[in-house]
Amino acid sequence: MRVTPFVLPLAAQALVAPRPHMKRLSSQRPAAALEDYCPPLPEAFEAQAALTADGAAEAYKASLDDPSGFWASEADRYHWQTPFDRSNVYSANFKRSAGPIAARWFEDGATNIAYNCLDRQVEAGLGDKLCFIAERNDEGETSPLQPETYTYAEALEETKKLAAALRARGVKKGDRVALFMPMVPELAIAMLACARIGAVHTVVFGGFSRDSLASRIASAGATCVIAADGVRRGGKVIDLWGIAKDALASARDQGTPVAGGAVILRRLDDAAYPEPQLAADEAWWHNVVTSTDGSDVEWMAAEDPLFILYTSGSTGAPKGIVHATGGYMVGAGHSFRTVFDAPVRADDVWFCTADCGWITGHTYVAYGPLLNGATQIVFEGVPSWPDAGRLWRIVDQHKVTHLYTAPTAIRALMRSGDDPVTSTSRASLKLLGSVGEPINPEAWRWYREVVGDDRCPVADTWWQTETGVIQIAPTMASGAGPHKPGAAMTPVAGCVPALLDAATGAEIPAVIGEEAKGLLVLKQPWPSMARTCWGDHERFENTYFSYDGYYLTGDGARRDADGHYWITGRVDDVVVVSGHNIGTAEVESALVAHPAVAEAALVGVPHDVKGSALYAFVTLTQDAEGQAGDELAKELKLRARADVAAFASPDTFHWAPTGLPKTRSGKIMRRILRKIAAEGADVSGLGDTSTLADPGIVDELIASHAGAS
Ligand code: WTA
């Protein structure tokens, strides 16, 4: 079916115009001007689509008219050891005025997500189907000890063996296990093994520092750590076990015994990573993951926690977001199948480039694909290694049909021009996905036209660690579209978005034909929503439910005249750098810990590839005033790396001569800092500055812009 090209309403055209900071990257395409560009769904996609737009619309309506019936029938796809109460599929409270915030799904039901990912698939005859295909850092590289592929039966076997090994180390239902590993199939297997025995996994991204890992182990009270010796990332070897070992010691110093010690996957060979000496409570994976004896499934109540995933917040330490077994399972399975046009056919190969250290890797690598019996690539390397053609060669080699990656990767690859892409076939591709930050229309267009040869639609998917699954995304089905470049578009089944007026907190009614802009909130409970912050329910309530009756996302959004959503970015002090959420407070405290620093404030500035970059305003102590310069900037960057993570290191330091602009009540006016950082000495239109305690500080900051390091 052919759809008439859609002409964007005026205000939306303004939104899709290239942002001033976005330089034209490579691949200038002479076709329609970007602001007029809004292509229909590719015919080639529609011709083979598994889902229909009418079906999706009906499902959406059903999910709102009868959430209990809708989600109960979704839940019926899985094995429940004890059935859930069909007369009480869910209960929830989003109003603090009415009591504690809560959401409970599939009450009284008992299930196990790992069983549903693996045992159930094997029992259904998928035992020989490929589950994981490993792609290593180097092309053609093979692993000394791990297989390059796992069928569903093999993944089940390895999961059972690791589950038994964890039990033998004393790990039991409800215990927390911290995972610090590269993107290898064994990371997903480790998550599944924890889930099998009811242990709560907390995966820590392998790019985090020792201190970040230690504080997560301590905060979660982990009883065991699963790590790898190291990983090659591009041309470097990263000593994961060195970091994990120190973190383990540090967590123990902080009073967390970690009685189960550590299991370590041997990924590298002796030449790259000489075998380290292990302590008595530390063991190599291949020495202990040997027998399935003692790997019985632990049946979990639907509301039992499945995992904790730490995410940065506006203030304080990272929050341990807790997801519950039953609701997360039902949500993840449904989302993977319906958002990406059911990539589960015999020849479909799913490839999500996200790391399991982030929520995308949880839902769209470890769980969603397996709940649906999909075949997928698990990629340990980076898109730029050994060159910008890597992803496209992977696509060709494994006949990838569905690719899900981040705008930052797309923009970085776009800079290398079209040749690395066009020299590959990519004929297998059917659909392209994007996640993590807003995708600018230019990158969207390159993704669709160059990567997807204009045959593959682009799904810009908006969601968060806290939502568990995608919430707003274009409908991928025949008869849907066109999709507006740069818009996340429409809510998925079960999602009811709304906009609140930032000044009054009032909901802005959704009226077709009327544009609106405000705080993005979600109104209706959904199965895979986060249940709490680990050990701090009050923080959960304060952070996400400060507006009675709404889940507050922390993002701003516009709704265009057609009712489509455009995410405009964070409205709090979280900066999304290359798709990674960074809490500015965390990095600020790392900087302030340096003796030369009196005060620091971080803001995000637009960046061509990373989306946003960190920009630090720093005031030095009197004694250190003469130290402002590149040397100190280098030291402070190292400090941010060590205390938080390499990706949290500021790009720019702006030495603030006499302090930071504050209100009379002492609050730093970040709005002003953001403008100065983005616009420099030419900044204008600073808005209302009447609440500033000392307006002279702003002039000094503007004047000192040139001295930034
Ligand atoms: C941002 C990642 C615009 C947003 C799944 C959100 C996006 C935060 C998009 C959550 C998108 C994610 N368009 N912004 N398609 N996807 N974001 O928890 O600011 O790591 O609040 O979850 O990323 O990041 P998180």
Side-chain angles (χ1 to χ4, degrees), residues 26-27 383-384 386-394 396 412-426 446 450-451:
S26 74
S27 173
S384 55
D387 57 57
R390 181 68 188 276
L391 288 188
W392 325 125
R393 292 194 295 272
I394 294 177
D396 280 356
L413 294 172
M414 197 171 154
R415 288 191 141 192
S416 305
D418 296 359
D419 289 352
V421 189
T422 51
S423 58
T424 60
S425 149
R426 290 155 287 105
W446 186 80
V450 181
V451 174

Side-chain angles (χ1 to χ4, degrees), residues 121-130 150-154:
Q121 305 295 19
V122 172
E123 282 160 24
L126 291 189
D128 293 336
K129 185 170 180 182
L130 274 183
Y150 283 88
T151 61
Y152 271 86
E154 288 163 348

Side-chain angles (χ1 to χ4, degrees), residues 2-6 36-42 444-445 448-449 454 481-485:
R2 203 69 230 159
V3 185
T4 335
F6 176 89
D36 300 327
Y37 174 66
C38 188
L41 264 190
W444 192 102
R445 179 177 184 165
R448 169 159 161 157
E449 289 190 344
D454 224 7
H483 300 141
K484 301 172 188 173

Side-chain angles (χ1 to χ4, degrees), residues 9-346:
L10 273 180
Q13 284 188 18
L15 276 165
V16 296
R19 284 179 269 165
H21 72 275
M22 293 282 180
K23 283 194 230 103
R24 297 289 295 177
L25 302 179
S26 74
S27 173
Q28 305 289 321
R29 304 199 69 81
L34 197 58
E35 49 272 35
D36 300 327
Y37 174 66
C38 188
L41 264 190
E43 279 176 75
F45 171 78
E46 292 201 82
Q48 60 76 58
L51 309 181
T52 64
D54 287 349
E58 265 167 44
Y60 184 67
K61 187 168 179 308
S63 76
L64 267 47
D65 292 349
D66 175 20
S68 295
F70 180 85
W71 291 111
S73 71
E74 260 314 305
D76 286 342
R77 292 175 168 268
Y78 306 106
H79 172 80
W80 292 83
Q81 187 70 3
T82 312
F84 53 90
D85 178 355
R86 304 190 88 86
S87 66
N88 179 29
V89 173
Y90 79 102
S91 57
N93 174 37
F94 275 18
K95 286 189 177 172
R96 281 202 294 183
S97 60
I101 297 296
R104 303 181 69 78
W105 285 84
F106 311 115
E107 202 79 64
D108 298 340
T111 186
N112 184 292
I113 190 170
Y115 179 90
N116 277 299
C117 284
L118 295 171
D119 307 59
R120 185 180 60 102
Q121 305 295 19
V122 172
E123 282 160 24
L126 291 189
D128 293 336
K129 185 170 180 182
L130 274 183
C131 176
F132 299 121
I133 302 170
E135 248 315 302
R136 310 295 181 187
N137 181 59
D138 288 317
E139 262 166 320
E141 179 190 340
T142 54
S143 180
L145 287 166
Q146 291 84 36
E148 301 308 313
T149 58
Y150 283 88
T151 61
Y152 271 86
E154 288 163 348
L156 172 59
E157 176 87 358
E158 191 73 358
T159 300
K160 283 181 168 174
K161 287 179 180 166
L162 179 59
L166 291 175
R167 276 212 178 110
R169 304 181 81 73
V171 179
K172 54 186 191 319
K173 179 176 175 177
D175 286 352
R176 276 79 57 207
V177 177
L179 276 49
F180 193 64
M181 297 171 71
M183 256 319 266
V184 288
E186 291 74 17
L187 171 51
I189 285 171
M191 295 161 77
L192 290 156
C194 290
R196 186 174 184 89
I197 61 170
V200 178
H201 57 71
T202 183
V203 185
V204 180
F205 173 58
F208 275 110
S209 67
R210 176 202 62 186
D211 289 357
S212 292
L213 175 58
S215 66
R216 284 160 174 77
I217 294 172
S219 159
T223 53
C224 185
V225 172
I226 308 177
D229 49 1
V231 59
R232 281 202 197 83
R233 207 164 278 151
K236 284 187 284 194
V237 174
I238 296 166
D239 179 8
L240 291 177
W241 173 238
I243 297 168
K245 195 175 172 64
D246 288 353
L248 200 56
S250 161
R252 283 173 170 154
D253 287 348
Q254 293 172 47
T256 307
V258 199
V263 175
I264 306 130
L265 185 78
R266 182 80 169 133
R267 259 297 288 127
L268 300 174
D269 53 26
D270 284 339
Y273 196 99
E275 188 167 323
Q277 198 67 41
L278 299 186
D281 64 351
E282 297 161 0
W284 291 110
W285 177 301
H286 58 269
N287 287 339
V288 291
V289 178
T290 48
S291 159
T292 59
D293 289 352
S295 64
D296 294 353
V297 172
E298 191 77 53
W299 297 107
M300 306 296 286
E303 281 301 319
D304 281 341
L306 170 64
F307 65 85
I308 305 170
L309 186 57
Y310 284 85
T311 185
S312 293
S314 304
T315 53
K319 300 179 287 265
I321 299 298
V322 179
H323 279 285
T325 302
Y328 177 82
M329 175 177 81
V330 173
H334 170 264
S335 176
F336 179 79
R337 202 179 73 248
T338 54
V339 174
F340 300 106
D341 193 47
V344 294
R345 288 160 286 194

